[in-house]
Amino acid sequence: MTQSKHSHYDAFVRNVRHSSRIELSQSALAKNINFLRKKLGPHPRYSAVVKANAYGHGIPQMVKMLERCGVSHFSAASAYEAEEVLEHCADSSEIMIMGILYDQDIGWAVEQGIEFYVFNYDRLQLVLEVAQRLKKKAKVHLEVETGTNRTGMTEPWFKKSVAFLKKHQEHFDFQGLCTHLGGAESRSNQFRIDQQINRYKAYLTELKKRKYMPKYRHIACSAAVLAMPETHYDLVRVGVATYGFWPSPDIYYHHLREAGKDKDAPMNRIISWKTDVMDIKDVPKGEFIGYGTAFQALHDMRVAVIPLGYSNGYPRGQSNNGFVLIRGRRAPITGLINMNLFMVDITDIPGVEPGDEVVLLGKQKNSTIAVSSFTNYTQLINNEMLSRLPTAIPRRIVK
Ligand SMILES: *Cc1c(COP(=O)(O)O)cnc(C)c1O
């Protein structure tokens, strides 16, 4: 049995190559975690948010890489994602579900020792029955409403929930009291965020009065970790910054002011996305390239055919916009992004051959394509572009 050359990229081992590949830098991740840990100091526990397939980076690889950096707590959006984390994490690591956990799966979560948010009082009775049946404590985080008005229980229900947990202490671990800030990355939301923090503190006061404290108080996302030390408490849920992205320009400028610098790059992007030139075409002046009339050659041109398209996560909004890197040079996109193909102009890049490496995202020689360059041409924000990268693209950890 021969192993394919690329099988080490793969979650599912295939014998043939996929049309593109993702590389993840362990050293870039280490740099990000060190920087963020320094902002946090020794106390708060670092929970890496790995929802949306780890912001598109890949849960199996990111869990392994994060554990190498000392991270041992993972936050997922759903039980489905949590199960994937569980498959790949160390036995000693812990997993928290922040979102959807169906009634039918509560038994699974309790059995596996997985922590989960509870934002409805009614759910506690169900969880209690499961915990009693399994003779295992359920690890619950009470999520409270502070002003985002998505999930989170209001004060009367919170009081009832606390009384319920306290009454059935032998069946519950009170893991956390949490809320989520609605837009901490933007200065213009600050009045809302301040109000949320104050409301959260009122819930904490209630708990103090009852002498019943959770293991973790937690409200901070990346922006709060970077710019609001008073939100750090006992655990932080760090998503986008883990992957080396500033949550917003506001947060980046806040850091510069704090550091007293004009520019600084204390975090690096982890992800690169690559493919290869599939074919090369000489296009005579006046001909159209690809479907329709979106691009007409105004002079004799040479184009390279790239073997992926919008079905592979390359945004269609990049049609006639943006560029890829070949031989360290920018090759502009010509015509529409097709389902599985697109073409780029290589007229001014000498010596390109089929099989040459193409960088869609990341660095090649002295040139770089940032995720944010996609947002210049499309309506996609960083998180959306990244989280849409198909899970089928093979991912490999590099130095
Ligand atoms: C996504 C998410 C986070 C992480 O947000 P970032 O801004 O990416 O750090 C934290 N908490 C909850 C509840 C989330 O849904």
Side-chain angles (χ1 to χ4, degrees), residues 49 51 55 98 117 150 180 185 221-223 237-240:
V49 178
K51 66 189 180 193
Y55 290 54
M98 304 185 293
Y117 280 22
R150 30 182 236 189
H180 189 47
E185 54 284 332
C221 56
S222 296
R237 307 183 304 261
V238 198
V240 74

Side-chain angles (χ1 to χ4, degrees), residues 306-345:
I306 311 299
L308 81 165
Y310 58 78
S311 70
N312 310 102
Y314 200 86
R316 191 169 177 278
Q318 294 274 102
S319 296
N320 270 334
N321 271 316
F323 52 87
V324 302
L325 300 177
I326 300 175
R327 301 204 163 208
R329 306 262 307 269
R330 290 173 170 217
I333 292 162
T334 53
L336 303 176
I337 306 293
N338 302 169
M339 192 181 276
N340 302 97
L341 287 175
F342 65 95
M343 273 68 78
V344 297
D345 182 3

